[in-house]
Amino acid sequence: MPVSSDVDDTDADTTRVGQPDGDALPINELFVSLQGEGKLAGVPSVFVRTSGCNLRCWFCDSYHTSWEPTHAWMGLDEILAEIESFDADHVVLTGGEPLIHDTSTVLLRELADRGYHTTVETNGTIVPDAPVDLASISPKLESSTPTPDRDPKGDGEWAEKHENRRIDLDALATLVDRHGFQLKFVVTGREDMAEIESLVADLRDAANMPIYDDDVLLMPEGQTREQLDDTRELVADLALEHGYRYTPRIHVDLWNDAPEK
Ligand SMILES: C[S@@+](CC[C@H](N)C(=O)[O-])C[C@H]1O[C@@H](n2cnc3c(N)ncnc32)[C@H](O)[C@@H]1O
Ligand SMILES: Nc1nc2[nH]cc(C(=O)O)c2c(=O)[nH]1
Ligand code: SF4
Ligand SMILES: [Mg+2]
């Protein structure tokens, strides 16, 4: 069962419409590609993207899994069959926020039993009761909050809820202690660094496992090559200055903002 963070009612309603009986997930897309981000960048992986999220980052590059969720419900057996149809032994469960769905833990257990390497791309607000090889934790900074001036869909109605939910130190520390992990921050500019440094320090106090500087990844904000052109070099400089690891977004560099890539 997810440990924390209530799922937003509107989210539950929108993604629950048409939910079949039994274990199923609202799937936005399911595809094979190269892992574009993080410690495993370049590894051929099957991506399972669920719909629905408990946050609303203004920059979300999966708009149709958060701001306006679209999906088709798939039963667990159907999902597993589709994954097995690909020639890849790494599976990335992502979203939206995949851990708002209880069935995600069932899928993770099934994948572990089948010997897959599992990565969960998560905002770090929910702890799954399931095996995960790499918790790819992307804590959301204040610069992600959809204030009225940058809300893509309204006038900042989500800003307070997002702000109140985005950081759960207990959940983050538990994820770090239980799983292989990376802390992958979306960096919009130099002003993010104080919050990153402060959160990493708090996590080093809260978690039992060590957090090394190369477990902390800085990723440039940008959904397209053009947007990354404006952030890539600054974030690389920040990584050098702070001794953190830089991660590219190679799927964007290779295929721009193409779906299913
Ligand atoms: C769409 S999110 C889904 C997983 C989870 N909800 C999360 O935010 O970590 C997938 C990954 O893309 C990152 N991301 C989303 N929008 C981005 C953007 N505009 N620029 C860079 N990274 C972005 C997230 O931080 C996360 O690492
Ligand atoms: N190729 C590729 N790599 C990714 N790594 C994390 C992704 C995500 O959306 O979670 C992602 C994605 O959407 N595509
Ligand atoms: S937490 Fe992830 S899926 Fe949710 S809005 Fe932010 S980037 Fe998008
Ligand atoms: Mg993506």
Side-chain angles (χ1 to χ4, degrees):
M1 283 294 288
V3 168
S4 74
S5 237
D6 53 321
V7 175
D8 181 73
D9 294 345
T10 49
D11 252 70
D13 296 346
T14 42
T15 53
R16 284 214 180 103
V17 171
Q19 180 174 357
D21 295 335
D23 286 327
L25 284 167
I27 300 299
N28 174 268
E29 54 182 0
L30 201 166
F31 60 97
V32 65
S33 184
L34 298 177
Q35 168 57 278
E37 305 167 3
K39 294 179 180 178
L40 294 178
V43 175
S45 305
V46 181
F47 290 80
V48 179
R49 188 184 307 288
T50 62
S51 214
C53 185
N54 57 342
L55 298 183
R56 288 296 185 280
C57 307
W58 64 267
F59 54 54
C60 184
D61 74 350
S62 300
Y63 183 87
H64 287 293
T65 65
S66 49
W67 289 98
E68 295 188 38
T70 59
H71 49 275
W73 279 93
M74 287 178 69
L76 204 59
D77 293 343
E78 193 185 355
I79 294 168
L80 287 164
E82 181 103 356
I83 291 169
E84 289 176 335
S85 72
F86 295 111
D87 182 18
D89 59 8
H90 282 63
V91 177
V92 179
L93 178 60
T94 185
E97 177 46 54
L99 299 181
I100 67 171
H101 306 292
D102 296 349
T103 302
S104 288
T105 54
V106 186
L107 175 60
L108 288 166
R109 287 195 202 110
E110 289 292 338
L111 290 170
D113 290 348
R114 287 164 169 76
Y116 283 100
H117 178 285
T118 57
T119 296
V120 176
E121 299 283 356
T122 178
N123 58 31
T125 60
I126 301 170
V127 177
D129 179 14
V132 176
D133 293 303
L134 177 62
S136 178
I137 310 163
S138 186
K140 294 302 179 286
L141 303 169
E142 191 282 326
S143 58
S144 68
T145 301
T147 48
D149 57 305
R150 56 195 181 196
D151 181 330
K153 193 189 168 210
D155 302 316
E157 294 86 349
W158 260 87
E160 187 179 355
K161 196 182 291 185
H162 177 95
E163 192 53 35
N164 291 337
R165 281 182 181 176
R166 63 184 176 85
I167 297 293
D168 180 330
L169 194 61
D170 289 343
L172 288 169
T174 305
L175 285 164
V176 164
D177 285 342
R178 284 190 187 171
H179 306 289
F181 71 92
Q182 59 192 11
L183 292 168
K184 185 178 63 164
F185 294 96
V186 177
V187 179
T188 62
R190 186 172 289 277
E191 62 282 355
D192 285 332
M193 296 314 297
E195 185 180 357
I196 290 171
E197 294 275 20
S198 167
L199 182 55
V200 170
D202 289 347
L203 252 178
R204 279 172 170 155
D205 288 343
N208 300 312
M209 293 298 286
I211 298 172
Y212 300 108
D213 282 351
D214 66 0
D215 292 326
V216 180
L217 286 70
L218 305 186
M219 180 161 68
E221 190 285 312
Q223 303 183 42
T224 64
R225 284 193 205 115
E226 193 179 9
Q227 289 173 359
L228 288 176
D229 286 346
D230 294 338
T231 54
R232 203 181 275 122
E233 286 187 42
L234 167 63
V235 176
D237 290 343
L238 290 169
L240 275 167
E241 285 172 34
H242 291 261
Y244 293 143
R245 187 191 304 224
Y246 173 81
T247 175
R249 307 200 82 206
I250 59 173
H251 52 305
V252 182
D253 294 336
L254 285 167
W255 304 300
N256 217 352
D257 190 23
E260 301 205 336
K261 279 294 187 190

